[in-house]
Amino acid sequence: MQTIELGRTGQQVSALALGAMRMGGDTDERDSVHILNRYLEIGGSFIDTANCYEWWSHPGTLGGQSEELLGRWMRDGNRRDQVFLATKGSAVPVFSPELWDDQGQPNWELARRTFEGAGADTLRHALDGSLRRLGTDHVDLYYVHVDDLNTPLEETLEALHGFVTAGKVRYLGWSNVRTWRLERIRQLCERNGWTLPVAVQQQHSYLRPGASADSASIVNFEQLDYLRAHPDQTLVAYSPILKGVYDSAAKRDGHWLMENYTGPDADARLAALAEVAGEAGVTPNQLVLAFLLQQESPRVLPLIGPRTREQFEGALPALDVKLSEEQLRRLSEAGA
């Protein structure tokens, strides 16, 4: 597997990151360990988790299962030094029995209203809990998981800088964040000598969000322009294949993720994708990953989150796809 530089840090990480969100939840320990071992086997290094994973699949808990599983896996094979380890804080909801209904289904509306946020004390406790579950004295990358508009940025950034100077965190990142906030973060870091986040983790794929889409989590044209102008921050693209909808028109039809992407522009890009996938001999899902892996401005680091062994293996052919300049141009220029 190829590597890319994280921001302008000099740190090389694998060009395809592995998300462990479902590990310890929807994906049982045996399959999780198999996927993790295979990822290392093919040269992967960048593993992503969060302290809240996967609270919604375990009624009565507030997450930590993914971090605990990764901690066991790293200890069992003495693998900590083989991994560039990322985790996140700020998104755990305040505990309430009302977070789950009688069927064990999560109440997302309540969770989004009561997430713990990025206050200094909250993040300190969150990071210490993550380090304990992961069984390590530091993480390589620590994200603010959900941008917290109710806590002064100065408080959050000073606390995060303290994590770095204490040696608990090597690099910082931010997720689910609007562009104006990224610029404000940059200004405050420059003014106060605080550590600048070098990773921006957002939902990003081949389809482009429609004009009516309004989500802090999805990369838009403005944010792409911002990241082109600031290559010291790498775009880590989660949900790069949008739950696998590219391979199936039936799956796209009515899928909640498609609410932000439907329209003539999406139709034109799907048509171009199908055409080039046929030429390259790969599935549309695989082609999307290959397309993102070959983006130069801004650089994109896709983050896959397979639930099964088959889904993981299904993503790997993308690593060997080399699109021509003409194919990349057709894919990039497609649209209404």
Side-chain angles (χ1 to χ4, degrees), residues 103-123:
Q103 285 72 49
Q105 296 303 304
N107 182 339
W108 284 107
E109 190 276 330
L110 178 60
R112 292 186 180 103
R113 282 194 290 107
T114 63
F115 71 96
E116 62 185 359
D121 287 341
T122 299
L123 288 178

Side-chain angles (χ1 to χ4, degrees), residues 207-268:
L207 292 182
R208 300 181 289 207
S212 62
D214 182 26
S215 172
S217 302
I218 301 176
V219 175
N220 57 21
F221 292 103
E222 179 186 45
Q223 197 158 85
L224 285 175
D225 283 344
Y226 183 85
L227 292 168
R228 287 187 191 103
H230 298 93
D232 55 354
Q233 295 184 314
T234 295
L235 173 57
V236 180
Y238 74 79
S239 295
I241 58 173
L242 300 177
K243 307 293 186 183
V245 300
Y246 290 102
D247 280 357
S248 170
K251 189 171 185 178
R252 288 194 295 274
D253 186 26
H255 197 292
W256 63 270
L257 265 176
M258 290 299 296
E259 294 175 1
N260 290 303
Y261 298 98
T262 54
D265 187 71
D267 293 340

Side-chain angles (χ1 to χ4, degrees), residues 49-129:
T49 187
N51 65 335
C52 67
Y53 296 157
E54 197 178 22
W55 71 262
W56 51 91
S57 69
H58 296 268
T61 77
L62 289 179
Q65 295 87 359
S66 173
E67 290 181 330
E68 290 171 350
L69 186 148
L70 288 173
R72 290 191 294 273
W73 173 72
M74 288 189 293
R75 285 193 301 274
D76 289 347
N78 194 25
R79 299 183 178 94
R80 177 64 185 93
D81 291 341
Q82 302 175 53
V83 171
F84 184 87
L85 183 62
T87 193
K88 314 179 194 75
S90 79
V92 175
V94 174
F95 182 84
S96 167
E98 297 177 358
L99 280 171
W100 303 268
D101 63 21
D102 292 341
Q103 285 72 49
Q105 296 303 304
N107 182 339
W108 284 107
E109 190 276 330
L110 178 60
R112 292 186 180 103
R113 282 194 290 107
T114 63
F115 71 96
E116 62 185 359
D121 287 341
T122 299
L123 288 178
R124 289 188 192 101
H125 289 300
L127 176 59
D128 287 343

Side-chain angles (χ1 to χ4, degrees), residues 117-126 151 155-156 158-160 163:
D121 287 341
T122 299
L123 288 178
R124 289 188 192 101
H125 289 300
T151 298
E155 177 182 341
T156 301
E158 186 174 19
L160 293 170
F163 299 162

Side-chain angles (χ1 to χ4, degrees), residues 8-326:
R8 290 292 182 263
T9 64
Q11 172 70 53
Q12 292 289 315
V13 296
S14 53
L16 184 69
L18 177 63
M21 181 178 75
R22 290 177 160 177
M23 296 181 183
D26 288 343
T27 307
D28 65 25
E29 186 130 359
R30 182 177 178 181
D31 284 348
S32 297
V33 167
H34 175 88
I35 292 169
L36 290 163
N37 288 340
R38 278 285 288 139
Y39 181 63
L40 289 190
E41 182 182 299
I42 64 170
S45 62
F46 190 168
I47 297 177
D48 177 276
T49 187
N51 65 335
C52 67
Y53 296 157
E54 197 178 22
W55 71 262
W56 51 91
S57 69
H58 296 268
T61 77
L62 289 179
Q65 295 87 359
S66 173
E67 290 181 330
E68 290 171 350
L69 186 148
L70 288 173
R72 290 191 294 273
W73 173 72
M74 288 189 293
R75 285 193 301 274
D76 289 347
N78 194 25
R79 299 183 178 94
R80 177 64 185 93
D81 291 341
Q82 302 175 53
V83 171
F84 184 87
L85 183 62
T87 193
K88 314 179 194 75
S90 79
V92 175
V94 174
F95 182 84
S96 167
E98 297 177 358
L99 280 171
W100 303 268
D101 63 21
D102 292 341
Q103 285 72 49
Q105 296 303 304
N107 182 339
W108 284 107
E109 190 276 330
L110 178 60
R112 292 186 180 103
R113 282 194 290 107
T114 63
F115 71 96
E116 62 185 359
D121 287 341
T122 299
L123 288 178
R124 289 188 192 101
H125 289 300
L127 176 59
D128 287 343
S130 290
L131 295 175
R132 183 179 64 255
R133 287 185 291 272
L134 290 163
T136 185
D137 63 356
H138 75 282
V139 292
D140 299 296
L141 177 61
Y142 192 68
Y143 290 96
V144 172
H145 197 167
V146 178
D147 193 28
D148 177 8
L149 300 179
N150 295 315
T151 298
L153 269 175
E154 292 87 346
E155 177 182 341
T156 301
L157 288 166
E158 186 174 19
L160 293 170
H161 180 70
F163 299 162
V164 175
T165 58
K168 293 183 177 182
V169 172
R170 294 180 62 207
Y171 304 108
L172 298 173
W174 222 275
S175 187
N176 302 300
V177 58
R178 295 193 185 274
T179 307
W180 70 269
R181 291 277 285 181
L182 289 176
E183 178 58 22
R184 180 65 176 147
I185 289 165
R186 179 178 294 273
Q187 291 174 3
L188 287 170
C189 287
E190 290 177 352
R191 183 181 308 162
N192 294 283
W194 293 330
T195 306
L196 178 72
V198 298
V200 180
Q201 188 175 137
Q202 298 282 90
Q203 184 175 307
H204 183 58
S205 188
Y206 173 65
L207 292 182
R208 300 181 289 207
S212 62
D214 182 26
S215 172
S217 302
I218 301 176
V219 175
N220 57 21
F221 292 103
E222 179 186 45
Q223 197 158 85
L224 285 175
D225 283 344
Y226 183 85
L227 292 168
R228 287 187 191 103
H230 298 93
D232 55 354
Q233 295 184 314
T234 295
L235 173 57
V236 180
Y238 74 79
S239 295
I241 58 173
L242 300 177
K243 307 293 186 183
V245 300
Y246 290 102
D247 280 357
S248 170
K251 189 171 185 178
R252 288 194 295 274
D253 186 26
H255 197 292
W256 63 270
L257 265 176
M258 290 299 296
E259 294 175 1
N260 290 303
Y261 298 98
T262 54
D265 187 71
D267 293 340
R269 286 176 82 82
L270 287 168
L273 192 72
E275 183 178 275
V276 177
E279 297 170 4
V282 294
T283 68
N285 281 336
Q286 292 163 351
L287 183 61
V288 168
L289 290 175
F291 174 79
L292 294 175
L293 285 163
Q294 292 182 235
Q295 295 305 293
E296 295 291 339
S297 183
R299 292 298 303 269
V300 179
L301 201 161
L303 169 65
I304 60 170
R307 180 176 55 84
T308 66
R309 301 184 187 195
E310 291 75 21
Q311 288 175 354
F312 175 75
E313 296 294 337
L316 299 188
L319 297 171
D320 298 320
V321 175
K322 300 303 177 188
L323 297 169
S324 69
E325 290 298 320
E326 189 271 339

